[in-house]
Amino acid sequence: MKLRTTKYFIKEGTSNLRRNKVMSVASITSVIAALLVIGIFFIVVLNVDYAASALESQVEISVHLVNGLSEGIINAMSGEIEAIEGVKEVVFVSKDVALKNMKQKLGDKGYLLDGLESDNPLPDTFVVTLTNPQKASSVALALNSMSSIEKVSYGKDELEKLLKATYVLRMTSLLIITILLFISIFIISNTIKLTVFARRREIGIMKFIGATDWFVRGPFIVEGILLGVTGAVVSTALLGGGYLYTVNLIQKQMLGFLALSFMPFGSIITSLAFLLVFVGIVIGAIGSLLSVRRFIKV
Amino acid sequence: MIELVKVNKTFDDGHKVLKNINIFIDKGEFVFLVGPSGSGKSTLIKLLLKEVEPTNGKIVIDGKNTTKLKRNDIPYLRRSMGVVFQDFRLLQDKTVYENVAFAMEIVEAQPRDIRKQVPIALSMVGLSKKSNLYPKQLSGGEQQRVSLARAMVNGPSILVADEPTGNLDPEMSRDIVKILYEFNQRGTTVLMATHDRDIVNAMKKRVIAIEDGVMVRDEKRGGYFDEA
Ligand SMILES: Nc1ncnc2c1ncn2[C@@H]1O[C@H](COP(=O)(O)OP(=O)(O)OP(=O)(O)O)[C@@H](O)[C@H]1O
Ligand SMILES: [Mg+2]
């Protein structure tokens, strides 16, 4: 496509918008509303994912061993556990080390544990980290079938709840986002239909003096994309401002530990802007293509 | 060059509008297409422009069988023909100059060619002085001259006119036909559908007459009515 043709498309597309001011503003407003909801879902999903992956990376299985195993057996077991599918790392924590760790945690109350060294009630333990939290139950099963193991424990219920919740959240937002996309395409297409209708005579003239379909469509596609992108820019700005404000508010309310698990503003705003502008371009283009379809067949 | 071979057109409602039409028009000919209202003249022109598809038969334009043309190639067929209608079909929000230039912009011509060709086309139709006026500010004859300039500015080899003088008084009509004749003298093939018997009789050009969808006459130097 030639540069001056692009210029012509942009000139005509923007003049379509101006000629059709009221409808253009109305449809940008609707696009903003739709993109705001899409953006909110996006932010929530991103943050839940962020929190979930932070939690997921902490998932570890602790394996309590029966008392009095020899170093040879422990080494052999460690090798055996490492060989289980889904295991990333196995760290052995002897009962002596475990006691020391506990003492350290208690700080100046550590004296409470004095005298336990000779009759340490804590078990020897393997701390097993996983390549993927989804593997937790199968690894736990394999561990349970090994001998010399007293107890296998991990935050099973919490983890499963979290995984299920993120799944449900993702699916719901996908559904709602799809519906909203269709609505926005419908709104844009109806706005442009008005321009197309107003210019149907002109379209007919263009066609019989030999304009290609793409040449006829060009200005309307520009019009649609401008509607979509304007909506995207405004909603990105609103969402960005809203996000900063909310995160700040939560931090001020002494809920600092919550804010810790929010995604940093910088990384969320760029992906949000890219997403919404992309969505704006796509719905604008599709909406305009739908609206010219009927009139171009001359 | 225009050729129709055994062309039939039946509309979806079963109306047989053209029946077994065979026409051969050579390069550089000037041909009148006459016939009563509803005889099928406009339909024949729409077939040439591929605005309407023939039910069967073959249409060849500039050596190309247009019945086999794909949808995407139709614009290029139309660019090889200039078209003029009874109702001018000008863009009201563009000036005379812009209306003519638009036909070149659409085919993505070079701006410097546009600046060169548009004034030439406007002077050929005698409208150089009115190039900055809008269609509303022109008489019917002048508007039709703008549409003639637009039809010719890309230098098509064929000019098709569907009752170009239908809305004009006799004097203006003669101007339009004079311009068509000049184009023809420069080598353009002209096909003009018309009801205007004075013009047809005065020009003594080839006349093809259709009645009720049937070609009833094809005379080398004919008049509006069959004199035989
Ligand atoms: N799309 C259509 N569907 C059905 N019938 C049609 C259609 N277009 C034209 N016709 C019919 O075809 C016949 C020929 O129409 P056409 O416009 O070709 O006549 P014409 O010779 O140009 O007449 P006029 O001199 O009045 O312009 C008419 O009877 C008309 O009703
Ligand atoms: Mg007609």
Side-chain angles (χ1 to χ4, degrees), chain A residues 2 4-5 8 12 19 201-202 205-213 215 296-298, chain B residues 71 75-76 78-79 83 85 89-93 102-103 105-106 108-111 150:
Chain A
K2 293 183 178 152
R4 61 178 169 280
T5 307
Y8 161 83
E12 293 293 307
R19 231 182 284 192
R201 188 173 160 275
E202 191 176 336
I205 292 172
M206 288 169 79
K207 293 294 310 249
F208 84 68
I209 55 180
T212 59
D213 287 351
F215 195 91
I296 214 162
K297 288 192 185 120
V298 207
Chain B
R71 196 180 138 66
Y76 303 96
R78 292 181 182 165
R79 289 174 195 184
V83 200
F85 295 94
R89 302 199 191 174
L90 299 174
L91 297 169
Q92 298 301 325
D93 57 353
F102 191 54
E105 283 161 10
I106 272 176
E108 303 188 67
Q110 298 287 340
R150 181 181 63 188

Side-chain angles (χ1 to χ4, degrees), chain A residues 109-298:
Chain A
K109 291 200 181 82
Y111 64 89
L112 289 173
L113 300 177
D114 280 354
L116 280 178
E117 281 90 351
S118 54
D119 189 19
N120 187 345
L122 297 173
D124 287 330
T125 306
F126 282 122
V127 176
V128 180
T129 48
L130 305 173
T131 53
N132 176 350
Q134 315 258 348
K135 296 246 168 73
S137 56
S138 72
V139 171
L141 206 67
L143 287 169
N144 268 323
S145 72
M146 286 171 66
S147 54
S148 309
I149 285 177
E150 200 178 69
K151 195 176 148 217
V152 175
S153 61
Y154 67 104
K156 187 179 172 210
D157 293 346
E158 289 76 12
L159 183 67
E160 270 173 7
K161 263 187 222 152
L162 184 70
L163 289 177
K164 210 171 149 194
T166 50
Y167 178 78
V168 171
L169 178 71
R170 255 178 245 181
M171 288 304 134
T172 333
S173 30
L174 205 64
L175 181 75
I176 294 176
I177 286 174
T178 314
I179 295 172
L180 285 170
L181 286 181
F182 274 107
I183 294 176
S184 324
I185 289 174
F186 178 76
I187 291 166
I188 290 187
S189 135
N190 268 335
T191 308
I192 296 175
K193 240 181 223 160
L194 288 182
T195 340
V196 174
F197 191 74
R199 308 190 82 165
R200 65 191 183 287
R201 188 173 160 275
E202 191 176 336
I203 292 175
I205 292 172
M206 288 169 79
K207 293 294 310 249
F208 84 68
I209 55 180
T212 59
D213 287 351
W214 282 109
F215 195 91
V216 175
R217 283 185 197 120
F220 300 108
I221 294 176
V222 169
E223 184 184 354
I225 289 178
L226 284 176
L227 290 174
V229 169
T230 311
V233 169
V234 175
S235 41
T236 305
L238 289 175
L239 285 170
Y243 189 72
L244 267 186
Y245 179 78
T246 314
V247 171
N248 261 337
L249 197 72
I250 291 174
Q251 272 166 338
K252 274 212 193 92
Q253 302 281 324
M254 304 295 289
L255 295 167
F257 70 96
L258 251 178
L260 269 185
S261 52
F262 278 113
M263 275 184 85
F265 178 75
S267 60
I268 213 163
I269 196 72
T270 30
S271 38
L272 187 69
F274 272 116
L275 175 87
L276 293 187
V277 168
F278 175 74
V279 170
I281 289 174
V282 170
I283 59 181
I286 296 179
S288 61
L289 285 178
L290 288 179
S291 58
V292 247
R293 223 176 20 170
R294 191 155 61 87
F295 290 91
I296 214 162
K297 288 192 185 120
V298 207

Side-chain angles (χ1 to χ4, degrees), chain B residues 107-168:
Chain B
V107 304
E108 303 188 67
Q110 298 287 340
R112 104 179 88 85
D113 290 340
I114 296 179
R115 284 193 295 273
K116 195 176 130 210
Q117 294 301 328
V118 175
I120 294 177
L122 285 175
S123 83
M124 285 201 293
V125 299
L127 280 179
S128 299
K129 292 209 178 91
K130 309 221 166 175
S131 63
N132 290 324
L133 298 183
Y134 287 86
K136 272 196 298 285
Q137 300 169 295
L138 302 178
S139 74
E142 287 167 336
Q143 291 189 47
Q144 192 60 295
R145 273 144 61 189
V146 178
S147 98
L148 273 170
R150 181 181 63 188
M152 292 307 294
V153 74
N154 285 318
S157 58
I158 298 169
L159 182 70
V160 181
D162 192 356
E163 302 195 38
T165 61
N167 283 349
L168 306 178

Side-chain angles (χ1 to χ4, degrees), chain B residues 27-57:
Chain B
K27 200 168 160 11
E29 276 197 84
F30 192 119
V31 181
F32 286 114
L33 185 62
V34 302
S37 187
S39 55
K41 303 183 294 296
S42 296
T43 306
L44 198 152
I45 283 171
K46 284 179 184 157
L47 285 174
L48 299 180
L49 294 170
K50 243 177 135 56
E51 227 182 291
V52 163
E53 295 296 319
T55 308
N56 51 52

Side-chain angles (χ1 to χ4, degrees), chain B residues 9-18 33-46 52 86 162-163 193-195 210 212-213:
Chain B
K9 176 64 196 176
T10 307
F11 278 107
D12 293 340
D13 58 3
H15 196 142
K16 280 190 180 159
V17 178
L18 291 173
L33 185 62
V34 302
S37 187
S39 55
K41 303 183 294 296
S42 296
T43 306
L44 198 152
I45 283 171
K46 284 179 184 157
V52 163
Q86 181 170 355
D162 192 356
E163 302 195 38
T194 186
H195 281 300
I210 44 180
D212 213 7

